[in-house]
Amino acid sequence: MKIAVYPGSFDPITLGHLDIIKRGSEMFDKLVVVVSVNTAKSPLFSPDERVKMIREATADLPNVEIDCFEGLIIDYCRQNNIKILLRGLRAITDFEYELQISQTNRAFSHNEVDTVFLTTSLEYAYLSSSTVREFASFHGDISRCVTPYVAQKVYEKYGYEQQSVKGE
Ligand code: ADP
């Protein structure tokens, strides 16, 4: 059985992430989306909240599982006997970082864990969780970037209702 892990912060999950998850789920028998817990960062959403939003967004994908992990993703892979990481690539700027991290993961896992890349669908190429957060913090309309459920959760975090979004 081919199992892959798609790790990330997902703070929050965007339609760009979801596109990678859907396409990845068609390539592997099982895809585990792993929310990486990084205590050094101060995320907008708690790991549990991020897991809940991903679960809601992927409810129609039966071979997608969600998990949460604090530590090195190669340790997660070793513990669960998984050898493939899935990552998304948006731009050249992503490539440099992703190349370095994929080579590090391969070397540090004694060549056990390889990374597979999917390039972004063009309509999501500009999307990132950080722009979603920034836009929403100024009451911007994020309905083209995230699912309706996620949009509602983001607006709630910033203490306002969907109705007060600009341009609606
Ligand atoms: P990280 O904090 O590890 O960068 P992210 O949650 O930002 O995690 O992203 C997880 C993965 O999804 C990364 O491989 C990233 O390049 C990819 N990704 C993020 N946004 C998009 C997008 N709009 N289209 C395709 N891939 C994306």
Side-chain angles (χ1 to χ4, degrees):
M1 178 143 120
K2 280 257 172 290
I3 309 177
V5 163
Y6 179 37
S9 309
F10 306 108
D11 186 34
I13 182 169
T14 68
L15 296 183
H17 293 130
L18 202 53
D19 173 59
I20 299 290
I21 293 171
K22 282 185 181 147
R23 289 157 61 200
S25 72
E26 287 165 16
M27 288 173 184
F28 301 102
D29 299 311
K30 186 162 100 179
L31 182 66
V32 190
V33 181
V34 175
V35 172
S36 350
V37 182
N38 183 345
T39 40
K41 285 190 188 171
S42 39
L44 182 62
F45 290 98
S46 71
D48 283 351
E49 289 171 322
R50 284 179 267 160
V51 165
K52 202 171 162 199
M53 287 185 285
I54 302 170
R55 196 156 278 148
E56 200 275 340
T58 60
D60 59 334
L61 302 172
N63 64 335
V64 172
E65 285 181 11
I66 330 293
D67 206 350
C68 203
F69 187 69
E70 182 169 356
L72 292 177
I73 202 68
I74 52 169
D75 288 337
Y76 180 89
C77 290
R78 191 177 314 128
Q79 284 165 24
N80 294 281
N81 197 26
I82 297 173
K83 298 182 188 311
I84 308 167
L85 289 174
L86 175 67
R87 295 284 286 179
L89 280 179
R90 279 162 297 191
I92 299 183
T93 40
D94 271 350
F95 179 77
E96 222 171 291
Y97 170 75
E98 293 290 342
L99 178 71
Q100 187 190 22
I101 200 142
S102 68
Q103 288 172 337
T104 307
N105 283 335
R106 184 167 155 80
F108 281 55
S109 67
H110 307 286
N111 300 342
E112 289 251 316
V113 177
D114 253 316
T115 305
V116 168
F117 294 101
L118 279 179
T119 52
T120 179
S121 294
L122 283 178
E123 66 262 46
Y124 304 126
Y126 62 92
L127 265 187
S128 73
S129 299
S130 56
T131 45
V132 166
R133 292 194 304 269
E134 195 177 343
F135 218 64
S137 73
F138 292 108
H139 291 221
D141 178 8
I142 55 168
S143 61
R144 268 190 294 170
C145 312
V146 295
T147 63
Y149 177 78
V150 172
Q152 184 200 324
K153 293 287 158 198
V154 175
Y155 295 140
E156 273 172 28
K157 273 283 169 192
Y158 288 110
Y160 60 90
E161 299 284 321
Q162 190 129 7
Q163 287 87 317
S164 68
V165 166
K166 288 175 190 161
E168 289 224 326

